[in-house]
Amino acid sequence: MKIGLVGLGRMGAGIRERLRRAGHEVVGYDTDPEVSDAGSLGEMVAELPAPRIVWVMVPSGGPTEQSIGALSSLLAPDDIVVEGGNSHYRDSRRRADELAARGIHLVDCGTSGGIWGLSEGFCLMVGGSAEAVSRVGPLFSALAPPGGYLHVGPVGSGHYVKMIHNGIEYAMLQAYAEGFDLLDAYDEELDLGAIASLWNHGSVVRSWLLELAERALERDPGLTGIRAHVDDSGEGRWTVLEAVEREVPAAAIAHSLFARFDSRRENGFGLRLIAALRREFGGHATQPAAGDDSGGRTAGE
């Protein structure tokens, strides 16, 4: 297949490369000419055979809104827009209705995998009509590991499932943070990296996140090079607001969100662990510890 891809950041670049390795042709467009294959959205669309498929992988909010708005005037009936990233599911529903008025289909795709998606595959949570999702199916199959792609329901459901996924991620990170905070507070010095490694061998709390914790603690046992400032991408907030609106108790997720707010005022070990884990799985920048002018670490460093 030959598709257009808008947005060649950390995950967009991985998506482009993984699709190309699977034999698909990708014409990428990015505002950074150093990584872009086309000089404009119009040039990108002109290179695609009809009916076209364009994957939008830019930050949620304004960038996604502007990209899809521009594409709506460039695409034709029966074309498909795949809305990746972390959009709010209600925005995806609205955009789908707006595109449908022009005969254009929207498929919303919640994408998990971070900077590891290129090598390990991306977990894809897909919403849209059966016909549109089927047409994009070969791309999803190329991007996902075995069992890592599911058509979860109509438009909006993909990003709804991804939103809840991220809420669960918040709570898991917080549980590890609190546990390792208690280990760090023990009367005698403990080898936290060795304990993380131990727990990854047969314990009920073993996970990929714990493997990343082991890696982060091996690199910096005291996490002294990281400031305990943990950002939130927005999906944790949306999950908590959704829980309030639907009257579903989600205390652990809510607590983990508030702990991130608290991290911006203190520098506890557990919060430094969350910052380190976000760097490990997503390439998210970290803030240097006081006195460290090396700057935040980003993907590839």
Side-chain angles (χ1 to χ4, degrees):
M1 300 177 69
K2 185 174 184 178
I3 73 158
L5 176 61
V6 182
L8 299 169
R10 287 191 302 259
M11 292 183 70
I15 288 172
R16 177 174 64 175
E17 180 60 22
R18 191 169 173 92
L19 287 175
R20 286 176 173 174
R21 290 179 184 179
H24 299 288
E25 293 184 64
V26 181
V27 182
Y29 170 71
D30 194 274
T31 54
D32 179 359
E34 294 293 323
V35 299
S36 191
D37 302 315
S40 67
L41 282 176
E43 288 182 18
M44 181 197 71
V45 170
E47 291 192 41
L48 303 178
R52 305 168 186 84
I53 297 175
V54 177
W55 190 307
V56 177
M57 200 67 188
V58 298
S60 62
T64 295
E65 192 75 28
Q66 294 158 15
S67 296
I68 293 180
L71 287 169
S72 68
S73 62
L74 295 170
L75 298 177
D78 209 31
D79 289 348
I80 296 175
V81 172
V82 179
E83 183 186 346
N86 285 329
S87 291
H88 196 287
Y89 74 97
R90 288 194 176 98
D91 289 334
S92 298
R93 287 176 175 175
R94 171 181 53 79
R95 292 175 187 133
D97 290 340
E98 293 168 354
L99 291 175
R102 295 174 174 264
I104 302 168
H105 309 279
L106 184 137
V107 172
D108 64 299
C109 180
T111 309
S112 181
I115 59 175
W116 294 85
L118 173 58
S119 59
E120 304 297 323
F122 295 92
C123 179
L124 305 175
M125 297 146 261
V126 180
S129 69
E131 188 272 334
V133 171
S134 176
R135 282 169 53 191
V136 187
L139 303 176
F140 295 144
S141 296
L143 289 170
Y149 146 52
L150 181 67
H151 181 196
V152 297
V155 168
S157 60
H159 280 140
Y160 185 85
V161 172
K162 178 57 163 56
M163 176 182 71
I164 304 306
H165 163 284
N166 280 27
I168 293 170
E169 174 194 300
Y170 275 47
M172 291 176 67
L173 290 171
Q174 186 63 26
Y176 283 127
E178 293 176 7
F180 277 88
D181 224 351
L182 282 166
L183 292 173
D184 185 58
Y186 185 59
D187 300 331
E188 306 293 337
E189 184 175 348
L190 299 174
D191 187 335
L192 302 188
I195 292 171
S197 177
L198 169 69
W199 285 351
N200 275 318
H201 291 82
S203 88
V204 297
V205 298
R206 65 187 183 274
S207 72
W208 182 57
L209 287 175
L210 193 56
E211 292 174 11
L212 295 177
E214 178 183 349
R215 170 178 163 159
L217 290 166
E218 286 176 355
R219 181 188 295 121
D220 182 2
L223 301 180
T224 56
I226 298 175
R227 180 170 169 240
H229 180 108
V230 184
D231 289 321
D232 63 288
S233 61
E235 296 219 335
R237 299 186 189 209
W238 297 342
T239 304
V240 171
L241 291 172
E242 199 72 23
V244 171
E245 185 173 316
R246 297 180 185 272
E247 299 182 3
V248 175
I253 296 174
H255 167 65
S256 67
L257 173 65
F258 297 148
R260 294 194 178 194
F261 297 161
D262 199 35
S263 79
R264 296 156 204 179
R265 298 184 298 171
E266 61 178 64
N267 197 36
F269 183 89
L271 294 166
R272 297 203 303 278
L273 180 66
I274 292 180
L277 285 174
R278 291 180 81 246
R279 179 185 66 196
E280 295 295 330
F281 70 70
H284 301 288
T286 59
Q287 294 199 8
D292 180 355
D293 61 359
S294 61
R297 294 179 61 88
T298 56
E301 290 187 312

